[in-house]
Amino acid sequence: MAYRRQRTALALWLAAVILPMLVAGATLAVVPSGGRAARAALFATACLGSLLAAWAGSRLVMASIVTVADLLSALREGDFGMRGHASRGRDVFGLIAAANHLSEDLRESRRRRVEAARLLGKTLVALHSPILVIDDQGLVRLINPAARALAGIDRAPAVGRPPAAIGLAPLVEASDGVILAHAFPGASGRWAVRRASWHSGGRGHTLVMLHDLHAALNDEEHRAWQRLIRVLSHELNNSLAPIESLADTLSVMLARHGMRMPEDDLRIGLDAIARRSAALARFVGGYGRLARLPPIDPHPFRLDGLLTRIVPLEQRVPVVLEPGHPVVVDGDEGQLELAFTNLLRNAADAVLRAAGGVRVAWVVEGGQVVVHIVDDGIGLPKTDSLFVPFFTTKPEGSGIGLSLVRLVVEAHGGSVTLVDRTDRTGAIASVRLATA
């Protein structure tokens, strides 16, 4: 729209300059009988009209150009509040209005930039993680209160100084994503380092942020202990309360009947005590297996050979091993055999309560192998606690199998997932491991 208006104004100005000469030329051509003086006067009048139109238009154009030049000079100096007076008829080509719009846009952009910088500054100040910004000359350009506390310089000057001068030199040397164990002047511990680089004002800047792992680990450890104690208390109470009740009942019966106590009642009570004691022993034994899981001893071996060896061991339900390409992984063969045996046993247990069989297959995807154990069982329970130690839905289960599987697979840098089948009832256990 502005371009069209400017083009129209330019056309009108050129028409005003050329029109007097055209009119004079046409008059002289149509009326050739006039005297020489009249013809000269007409020609002079046309020239004067064209000159007056050119002079008036040039004054308006020069006034607009001078005003725009002043506005651009103010913008170059950072003054975005200056505006040009664009009265009607003066700003012929819309130059002043365009400069005013540019100034308004720049002022709005600067306002947003300043507000974003203030918000960023307040955010960095409010963060509890130490944050440091270093320029391309290795000097500190920004430091938040948490970083000052870490360096032990709550009020001492830091901006413009190298990090080594304030005791934060290890931050400059640490790579992105590393875990840094260091004793700084203000605190010591283990820190996760995050780095980000960018350019501003033609200079490079690097932001370094530390995350204190000690507090996070303490919180997670506290929650883990709470879960463990809750499970232990529940299982111990489930076993000890019936044992105590049966022991008291047998003691009362023995006091009442003496040696003539009914043998059947005595045998039933002792059998119940033995069963609860055995269940408690299995529970404690399973906890010991989790706690004493040894470190992995990796070496290359044929994973397809391991699967071929363990599949025939499950005889309770039909198990089909689908053929696949040989695949070699680098891991602890004994521990992985234990993990796959547990998954296969769980799949067979699910099929025993339904009907069907189990299918074992593997596929190689890039540098990884994915083993799928697919069953036709009853499907997964509606819970997110499948991998929680001691959680079980089986009457005689210990809740250790899936926990052991996850510990073993994750120790090998892999992952294990359990999902329901979409084509029918049943579940799919998938183990992902890196190939050698």
Side-chain angles (χ1 to χ4, degrees):
M1 182 64 70
Y3 174 72
R4 184 181 301 174
R5 185 169 59 250
Q6 293 169 0
R7 187 172 58 181
T8 303
L10 180 60
L12 291 175
W13 180 40
L14 293 177
V17 172
I18 298 173
L19 185 62
M21 298 297 295
L22 292 177
V23 172
T27 302
L28 292 175
V30 173
V31 188
S33 60
R36 181 178 296 178
R39 293 167 67 88
L42 180 61
F43 180 75
T45 302
C47 290
L48 180 61
S50 296
L51 290 175
L52 288 175
W55 176 76
S58 64
R59 286 200 61 185
L60 291 176
V61 172
M62 288 302 300
S64 297
I65 292 175
V66 170
T67 303
V68 170
D70 293 339
L71 288 175
L72 294 178
S73 178
L75 294 179
R76 188 170 58 250
E77 297 296 329
D79 182 7
F80 301 146
M82 187 175 178
R83 297 291 182 272
H85 181 61
S87 59
R88 185 177 183 84
R90 180 185 176 189
D91 189 15
V92 179
F93 299 119
L95 299 177
I96 299 177
N100 286 339
H101 288 312
L102 175 62
S103 179
E104 184 67 29
D105 292 341
L106 291 176
R107 186 177 69 170
E108 180 67 17
S109 176
R110 183 174 66 175
R111 183 186 66 81
R112 293 178 180 177
R113 188 169 61 251
V114 170
E115 290 179 352
R118 289 177 180 173
L119 176 62
L120 176 61
K122 291 181 179 180
T123 302
L124 295 180
V125 168
L127 288 176
H128 296 293
S129 298
I131 295 178
L132 197 69
V133 175
I134 307 168
D135 62 15
D136 52 3
Q137 296 180 352
L139 301 179
V140 176
R141 288 303 168 195
L142 184 145
I143 181 170
N144 71 339
R148 285 183 171 274
L150 186 66
I153 52 165
D154 291 338
R155 298 190 179 276
V159 176
R161 302 176 63 188
I166 56 177
L168 298 180
L171 298 187
V172 183
E173 303 168 359
S175 302
D176 181 40
V178 304
I179 305 299
L180 178 65
H182 187 76
F184 292 97
S188 61
R190 299 177 64 202
W191 316 84
V193 181
R194 302 299 300 175
R195 299 173 68 94
S197 300
W198 76 97
H199 282 79
S200 177
R203 303 183 63 178
H205 295 77
T206 301
L207 182 144
V208 183
M209 182 175 68
L210 295 183
H211 180 62
D212 186 6
L213 296 179
H214 181 71
L217 291 175
N218 279 348
D219 292 341
E220 185 60 30
E221 183 180 3
H222 181 66
R223 288 192 292 269
W225 274 110
Q226 285 183 329
R227 291 193 297 267
L228 178 60
I229 292 174
R230 184 167 57 249
V231 172
L232 289 173
S233 300
H234 180 266
E235 188 65 26
L236 290 174
N237 286 333
N238 283 348
S239 295
L240 294 179
I243 291 176
E244 181 182 5
S245 176
L246 288 170
D248 289 342
T249 300
L250 292 176
S251 178
V252 171
M253 294 178 65
L254 183 60
R256 180 183 303 169
H257 301 285
M259 299 303 297
R260 295 187 302 276
M261 179 179 177
E263 184 178 348
D264 292 340
D265 294 340
L266 179 60
R267 182 180 298 107
I268 292 174
L270 292 177
D271 288 343
I273 292 176
R275 286 195 303 271
R276 295 310 306 172
S277 299
L280 184 58
R282 288 196 303 271
F283 171 78
V284 175
Y287 171 73
R289 291 175 62 193
L290 281 179
R292 295 192 302 269
L293 189 66
I296 64 172
D297 180 20
H299 61 275
F301 70 94
R302 289 273 299 272
L303 181 62
D304 56 307
L306 184 150
L307 297 175
T308 304
R309 187 171 63 251
I310 67 172
V311 162
L313 300 179
E314 180 56 65
Q315 298 290 331
R316 297 175 296 167
V317 299
V319 181
V320 176
L321 178 64
E322 295 189 352
H325 296 290
V327 58
V328 178
V329 299
D330 189 12
D332 190 316
E333 187 172 4
Q335 291 195 21
L336 286 175
E337 180 176 352
L338 173 65
F340 284 113
T341 301
N342 274 298
L343 290 176
L344 188 59
R345 184 183 301 116
N346 283 346
D349 290 341
V351 171
L352 286 174
R353 290 185 278 176
V358 178
R359 178 170 53 87
V360 180
W362 70 90
V363 292
V364 178
E365 300 176 351
Q368 294 183 321
V369 57
V370 184
V371 179
H372 299 293
I373 300 178
V374 185
D375 66 67
D376 301 329
I378 61 175
L380 299 175
K382 303 303 180 182
T383 178
D384 57 355
S385 302
L386 291 175
F387 292 99
V388 174
F390 312 116
F391 173 84
T392 181
T393 58
K394 304 174 185 177
E396 300 297 329
S398 63
I400 302 299
L402 288 179
S403 301
L404 275 173
V405 170
R406 187 174 67 172
L407 285 176
V408 170
V409 174
E410 291 183 352
H412 286 77
S415 62
V416 56
T417 58
L418 285 172
V419 296
D420 280 312
R421 294 178 61 175
T422 57
D423 55 340
R424 54 160 297 168
T425 58
I428 304 174
S430 300
V431 176
R432 185 180 294 270
L433 296 169
T435 57

